Amino acid sequence: MTPDPRRLLPSDAPVTLIDPDGKAVGNAVPDDATLLRSLGALITARRLNDQAYALVRQGRLAVYPSSHGQEACQVAAAQVLDADDWLFPTYRDTVAAVVKGVDVVEALSLLKGDWHCGYDPHEHKVAPHTTPLATQLPHAVGVGHAARLRGEPTVVMAMCGDGGTSEGDFHEALNFAAVFRAPVVFFVQNNEYAISVPLARQSAAPSLAHKGVGYGIPGERVDGNDMAALLSVLGEAVRRARAGEGPQLVEAHTYRIQAHTNADDATRYRDEAEVAAWVPRDPITRLRAYLQDRGVLTAETETAFSEAAERAAGHLRDGLNRDITPNPQDLFAYVYERPTSQLREQEALIADELSREGAL
């Protein structure tokens, strides 16, 4: 049966509940306790982003795609999930994985170059970070489809950027999820650039959320720097997916304040005035102003948030400043549950060479 396309269309403008000045503009603003907890998570997230960027310059991380300025998307994506729900992050979604429960040192093992994945994905239901664009989306749909077949209430949050929506995997994932009504929330963080390619050069659609219509998936747009709106829109999308209403597509309008990575020179494709225009829309500034105006954010609470953020940054520094001695045999230990004959042959070859060099 073809769904009524009018019910699939996103709103004309991104949903906003708290404006850039910190004033409520909607009636569905989450309660103060929820937003206060979110502010604490945002402050820690910003501190981790900045600390990781510094560790790149010190040679302790190979690369770091910062989510500075996009922390509200990161925090909200994890906070709306239950413990048994799955998160499928991209390379820029370290903060989301940390909010879901992954230790930040383990989360950054990939970008340090120690491991493909430094944590057990099953422990916190967080899939490994993926660097190839959108390849995690079909995997996310598979997990959601399996959960539905087993009758489990699991919802999967499948994250990608605006550049990921130009990939074939994005469209294949949406189509399969829609046909089989997989409980997946596709969460697109539209930060205006796919590395150096602006959005206007990669999509002619009215919005990225409109792309769901072609697959029978309802879409919604949300202000990606408004923590309250994100919690509301993403929370509703998760509720619908869990209730058996099939996949949902949410596009968050945000902005990548820093370069794509430390290897990128953003001044080659955008000017300072464009970046400066987004600074007043910062998610932390906005939420802080709202909570101060409500009288629920005290100086003592701000101090406690800052101290917690510094502890998290210190833990990150200590963890990444520790070197490990990798075991070459681990190259073969975690590829297949039952290694192939070719893999066993290669493992024996390496072991023999290392033995003759006295390394084993």
Side-chain angles (χ1 to χ4, degrees):
M1 180 171 62
T2 303
D4 182 350
R6 292 169 298 183
R7 300 180 58 187
L8 305 177
L9 290 171
S11 53
D12 292 336
V15 174
T16 300
L17 297 180
I18 298 176
D19 70 14
D21 293 326
K23 305 298 182 184
V25 294
N27 297 323
V29 177
D31 62 76
D32 291 341
T34 298
L35 292 179
L36 202 58
R37 181 170 65 95
S38 298
L39 179 63
L42 286 175
I43 291 172
T44 294
R46 176 66 53 83
R47 186 68 186 89
L48 290 177
N49 267 326
D50 294 346
Q51 183 62 70
Y53 220 71
L55 287 165
V56 172
R57 293 193 290 271
Q58 295 165 14
R60 305 309 301 176
L61 273 174
V63 67
Y64 184 67
S66 177
S67 61
H68 185 119
Q70 300 178 218
E71 289 94 345
C73 295
Q74 300 280 300
V75 172
Q79 284 190 342
V80 297
L81 297 177
D82 289 345
D84 287 333
D85 293 335
W86 275 85
L87 178 76
F88 277 72
T90 73
Y91 52 84
R92 199 179 299 284
D93 300 324
T94 296
V95 167
V98 171
V99 176
K100 188 74 166 62
V102 176
D103 185 287
V104 66
V105 176
E106 296 177 356
L108 287 174
S109 293
L110 167 71
L111 299 180
K112 188 184 178 187
D114 286 345
W115 285 93
H116 290 303
C117 180
Y119 53 89
D120 177 1
H122 292 275
E123 181 179 0
H124 297 291
K125 306 292 190 292
V126 178
H129 291 68
T130 53
T131 300
L133 294 184
T135 56
Q136 77 281 6
L137 300 182
H139 304 163
V141 172
V143 170
H145 182 51
R148 191 186 69 83
L149 292 177
R150 289 195 292 257
E152 298 170 349
T154 304
V155 171
V156 179
M157 182 70 71
M159 303 178 75
C160 74
D162 45 289
T165 66
S166 300
E167 297 288 330
D169 282 341
F170 173 82
H171 299 277
E172 293 161 11
L174 262 66
N175 190 55
F176 190 102
V179 170
F180 292 96
R181 300 186 68 75
V184 178
V185 176
F186 295 97
F187 182 34
V188 180
Q189 293 174 81
N190 173 8
N191 66 12
E192 300 288 335
Y193 286 94
I195 305 183
S196 59
V197 181
L199 182 65
R201 300 290 292 174
Q202 56 173 313
S203 176
S207 78
L208 300 179
H210 278 81
K211 293 190 175 187
V213 177
Y215 301 102
I217 297 177
E220 185 55 287
R221 307 168 67 197
V222 60
D223 185 331
N225 288 10
D226 179 356
M227 190 72 206
L230 283 161
L231 289 172
S232 177
V233 170
L234 286 174
E236 176 63 12
V238 168
R239 186 198 66 76
R240 290 178 179 173
R242 202 185 309 280
E245 297 183 28
Q248 314 288 315
L249 173 61
V250 175
E251 175 191 8
H253 294 261
T254 183
Y255 192 75
R256 195 193 73 214
I257 293 292
Q258 297 182 334
H260 175 67
T261 69
N262 54 292
D264 173 41
D265 179 4
T267 63
R268 298 180 62 183
Y269 54 85
R270 66 182 188 184
D271 57 39
E272 293 181 0
E274 179 183 308
V275 180
W278 278 86
V279 171
R281 302 170 64 175
D282 185 85
I284 296 177
T285 304
R286 177 186 304 203
L287 186 55
R288 176 184 285 127
Y290 172 79
L291 292 171
Q292 286 175 337
D293 189 52
R294 298 272 298 171
V296 297
L297 179 59
T298 64
E300 290 76 15
T301 304
E302 280 264 27
T303 299
F305 286 162
S306 296
E307 291 174 349
E310 286 304 319
R311 286 195 296 273
H315 173 67
L316 175 58
R317 286 195 303 273
D318 292 344
L320 293 189
N321 280 326
R322 282 194 300 270
D323 289 323
I324 66 168
T325 302
N327 181 356
Q329 300 300 101
D330 286 344
L331 282 170
F332 310 97
Y334 305 106
V335 180
Y336 297 108
E337 183 178 4
R338 296 178 182 177
T340 64
S341 58
Q342 293 89 347
L343 206 62
R344 288 196 297 271
E345 181 181 336
Q346 294 171 24
E347 182 180 13
L349 179 63
I350 293 295
D352 178 61
E353 292 183 2
L354 292 173
S355 176
R356 283 189 277 115
E357 292 175 359
L360 283 181

